[in-house]
Amino acid sequence: MARRVAQSSVQWSALAERVPPAQKTNFHLFKAKSDGYLRRVMSNPAELPKIDWSFYKNSVPVAGMVDNFQKQYEALKIPFPSDTQTSQIEAQASKLKVEIAEFIKNSNNAITKHEQELAILGAMLSYSDMTMEEYYEAHPENALSPTDPQSFWPHREEDNINHKREEAEEPAH
């Protein structure tokens, strides 16, 4: 037989903390619908009403009909489905708790790393105040190196700074 649920197992206050402000109206509507359903279920009696078989035996003129119905009614057993999913759900929940804890740990590590990077960027000069050498010291992977050969537009060999021009010998007159 099914057990009677006395109260909701949902922790509404914990759930309300996680609802974004834009969804608060929908959350309150959902909670009201859930509470209404629980009130309707609780308004019904826990047990089915008892049938007064003696009243029907005195009222029905066909002999044996009420006895036959009573025997069939009492033999009727509607099985309540057995719970086969709770153990699987609890296993999934415990696995998810581990994954959530790992995600929170990784997220906190990333937040710490990004806060350190922000502190470094906050301590730097602004880019508009930096010289090319200071920019190279701060970001050597992105800056032009003052010691490497430079290439300028249109990037032809003869236009580069370090290009050695071969002077063509002019014939003597």
Side-chain angles (χ1 to χ4, degrees):
M1 177 127 201
R3 64 181 176 89
R4 181 116 174 144
V5 177
Q7 65 182 17
S8 175
S9 62
V10 178
Q11 296 176 352
W12 292 106
S13 60
L15 187 59
E17 292 173 358
R18 292 178 173 83
V19 175
Q23 296 294 322
K24 287 287 186 187
T25 304
N26 291 338
F27 171 74
H28 291 300
L29 290 172
F30 174 70
K31 184 177 182 319
K33 187 177 274 191
S34 175
D35 290 343
Y37 175 74
L38 184 62
R39 278 192 299 275
R40 283 195 318 271
V41 168
M42 295 305 288
S43 68
N44 294 326
E47 298 292 326
L48 291 175
K50 300 294 182 200
I51 298 175
D52 184 11
W53 294 107
S54 60
F55 170 77
Y56 289 108
K57 286 179 186 176
N58 294 332
S59 301
V60 175
V62 179
M65 179 186 258
V66 174
D67 292 331
N68 187 22
F69 281 150
Q70 182 180 6
K71 184 171 65 171
Q72 289 178 5
Y73 180 80
E74 291 171 354
L76 178 66
K77 299 293 181 208
I78 300 174
F80 190 76
S82 61
D83 184 10
T84 60
Q85 302 299 315
T86 300
S87 61
Q88 294 174 1
I89 292 171
E90 288 173 353
Q92 286 178 347
S94 63
K95 189 192 312 182
L96 280 176
K97 283 181 184 178
V98 171
E99 291 176 12
I100 290 169
E102 183 69 24
F103 175 78
I104 290 171
K105 183 180 126 197
N106 291 340
S107 295
N108 288 337
N109 290 341
I111 289 170
T112 304
K113 180 182 142 204
H114 293 309
E115 286 173 346
Q116 291 170 351
E117 290 175 4
L118 282 173
I120 290 170
L121 289 174
M124 281 180 24
L125 283 172
S126 67
Y127 291 119
S128 61
D129 295 337
M130 283 185 182
T131 64
M132 292 299 286
E133 289 81 13
E134 290 170 331
Y135 181 80
Y136 177 74
E137 288 176 8
H139 305 287
E141 67 278 359
N142 296 334
L144 295 173
S145 171
T147 58
D148 290 342
Q150 304 291 318
S151 174
F152 295 101
W153 186 84
H155 304 290
R156 295 182 303 210
E157 186 68 29
E158 60 269 10
D159 293 328
N160 287 339
I161 291 175
N162 296 329
H163 178 68
K164 295 189 175 40
R165 297 179 192 247
E166 295 179 13
E167 302 283 331
E169 293 182 19
E170 293 184 25
H173 294 290

